[in-house]
Amino acid sequence: MAEPIRIDMAAPDGDAIRETARNGGHLELHDSNRPDVAPIVLDDFLMAVIRGEVS
């Protein structure tokens, strides 16, 4: 399994999010302003929901 694309929600990279949603893969959302909060990993199922493949 490929490593997830890390997205810092303090300064999100919209292009990286859209590319990952289009091409498949996982996102790991974290907040550099809140290191005490665990990251959220968007797996295959959640990415399919984002792409509109699951209703």
Side-chain angles (χ1 to χ4, degrees):
M1 178 189 294
E3 290 293 314
I5 304 299
R6 287 185 53 106
I7 302 294
D8 185 354
M9 296 311 292
D13 181 351
D15 290 336
I17 295 169
R18 283 187 290 279
E19 181 178 338
T20 303
R22 251 192 325 272
N23 299 330
H26 299 82
L27 290 174
E28 180 181 295
L29 308 178
H30 69 99
D31 188 344
S32 61
N33 294 325
R34 297 284 315 269
D36 56 316
V37 176
I40 298 169
V41 176
L42 301 181
D43 61 10
D44 290 332
F45 174 74
L46 293 174
M47 293 303 290
V49 170
I50 291 170
R51 288 190 298 272
E53 298 170 357
V54 177
S55 58

